[in-house]
Amino acid sequence: MSTITPTPRPLLLKKPVKLACVQLASGADKAANLAHAAAKVAEAAAGGAKIVVLPECFNSPYGCEFFPSYAEPLLPSPPPAESSPSFHALAAMARDNGVYLIGGSIPEVAESNGRDKKYYNTSLTFGPSGALLSTHRKVHLFDIDIPGRIRFRESEVLSAGSAVTTVELGEYGRVGVAICYDIRFPELAMIAARRDGCFALVYPGAFNTTTGPLHWRLQGQARAMDNQIYVALCSPARDTTAGYHAWGHSLIVDPMAQVLVEADENETIVSAELDGARIEEARSGIPLRDQRRFDVYPDVSQ
C-alpha cells in the first residue's frame, strides 16, 4: 500500500528574523522622548534586529489628560514635520537603521468637517526605506473600573478605530498590529492570523501594575496558543513617579505559547529569533487549523 505524503505548506514567516521590543522610559519632553527612542532603536538594530517594536504612547506620558496636548495630525500623509515630529522621527529611525519599525503608538488628532477634533491612539509601521506601511487606530478603548484598584476611561478623550490592521513586512511576511487593550479581544487576533496569514501578532501596550500581573503574560500566551503564531508585547518601562505605573515585562511568545524572553519593569531591550518552521511544527503537531468545526460555530475570520 502506498502512502500519501502531505504537500508541504508555505511558511508564513518566509525566512528567520530577529525581533526586538524596546522597553522605554518616557517623560514629559516629547523631543527628548523621540531622541531617546531613536538611540534605542539604533541599539536594537546594532544587535541584529530587523523588526523593532516601540511601546504604547512612547512619545508622551500615558494618561487621558495628556492625549490632547501631545496629539499630532497624521492626515493627509505625510504630515508636515513641524506639526507631526513623531511621524518624521519614526520614519528616520526606520530608514537610518534599515529596519521594519512598529512605532508603538502616539496620540493622534484628526479634524472632522474642519471643526470638531477627534483623538486616537495610533500605531504607525514604517519600512526600511522610511516609507509608512500601515496605520492602526486602537479599536478597543481602555475603559475599566476595578473598585479600590484602578479606574481608567480612554473613551472620555479618545475615539476608537474601526479596522483590523495587518501589514506586509517585505521579505518576511505579514504581521498583525494592535494596541494594548485590543489583545483582550481574541476575535481581532483570529482575523489577523487566519484571514490574513500573519506570522506574528504585535501589541504595543501599557498594562498597569494591577492588570499586568494578572493578565499581561497570560494574554500573550493565549493569543499565541489560539493562533499558533508568534506574539510580541512591548510595554513602557515603569516610572513610579508618573501618574500611571506601567507593568513593563515586554515579552515574546512562540507558536507553542512558550515565553522566549521577558523583561522586568526597567528600561531594556528584549529580542528573539523567529523561525517560520516553528509555526509549522506547532500547527502540524496540534492541527487546530484542520479541526475547527465551522458547522457548529461561525468562522469569525470570514
Side-chain angles (χ1 to χ4, degrees):
M1 180 181 294
S2 61
T3 59
I4 298 175
T5 302
T7 302
R9 299 178 188 250
L11 296 179
L12 296 178
L13 173 55
K14 299 170 187 176
K15 64 179 186 178
V17 63
K18 188 173 188 177
L19 181 148
C21 293
V22 179
Q23 186 163 289
L24 282 177
S26 298
D29 185 331
K30 182 189 287 189
N33 293 337
L34 295 176
H36 186 45
K40 290 299 182 179
V41 169
E43 183 180 337
K50 295 299 183 183
I51 303 172
V52 181
V53 187
L54 290 172
E56 183 179 20
C57 288
F58 79 95
N59 70 339
S60 68
Y62 180 74
C64 290
E65 68 271 31
F66 300 112
F67 294 139
S69 58
Y70 283 83
E72 302 178 11
L74 299 177
L75 295 173
S77 185
E82 57 271 18
S83 61
S84 307
S86 300
F87 178 100
H88 292 275
L90 288 167
M93 292 178 214
R95 182 182 63 249
D96 293 348
N97 296 287
V99 299
Y100 291 97
L101 179 62
I102 299 169
S105 77
I106 64 172
E108 175 194 359
V109 60
E111 289 191 357
S112 176
N113 301 320
R115 299 186 302 275
D116 300 327
K117 290 182 178 179
K118 288 187 174 182
Y119 298 97
Y120 299 92
N121 190 346
T122 301
S123 181
L124 303 171
T125 299
F126 291 86
S129 70
L132 178 67
L133 301 180
S134 182
T135 299
H136 176 75
R137 288 171 168 170
K138 191 173 187 178
V139 172
H140 302 93
L141 299 182
F142 184 50
D143 287 2
I144 70 163
D145 188 354
I146 303 176
R149 304 290 294 279
I150 184 171
R151 180 186 184 277
F152 202 96
R153 293 190 63 81
E154 281 188 328
S155 65
E156 292 178 347
V157 176
L158 296 178
S159 296
S162 57
V164 176
T165 301
T166 62
V167 54
E168 189 73 37
L169 302 187
E171 63 271 39
Y172 300 112
R174 187 170 287 272
V175 299
V177 178
I179 299 172
C180 199
Y181 200 52
D182 285 338
I183 198 174
R184 290 187 179 273
F185 300 87
E187 297 87 350
L188 207 68
M190 291 175 186
I191 293 168
R194 296 215 301 267
R195 185 191 70 189
D196 295 345
C198 293
F199 69 81
L201 302 168
V202 180
Y203 297 91
F207 274 41
N208 54 68
T209 51
T210 297
T211 60
L214 286 171
H215 299 145
W216 174 256
R217 180 196 280 207
L218 182 63
Q219 290 286 349
Q221 290 181 290
R223 298 294 80 78
M225 182 184 68
D226 293 345
N227 299 290
Q228 298 178 305
I229 57 178
Y230 289 96
V231 173
L233 279 61
C234 188
S235 171
R238 191 179 309 165
D239 179 0
T240 56
T241 68
Y244 186 91
H245 299 165
W247 174 237
H249 291 264
S250 298
L251 54 83
I252 301 169
V253 187
D254 78 3
M256 287 295 281
Q258 300 301 297
V259 176
L260 299 176
V261 61
E262 182 175 357
D264 59 14
E265 71 275 15
N266 299 303
E267 187 170 88
T268 188
I269 298 171
V270 293
S271 61
E273 295 281 350
L274 314 188
D275 189 339
R278 298 277 295 273
I279 300 172
E280 188 55 35
E281 287 169 7
R283 293 182 170 194
S284 296
I286 306 176
L288 303 182
R289 64 186 168 192
D290 302 318
Q291 296 174 334
R292 292 189 173 94
R293 291 289 306 277
F294 296 134
D295 59 322
V296 176
Y297 43 79
D299 181 357
V300 300
S301 70
Q302 299 299 314

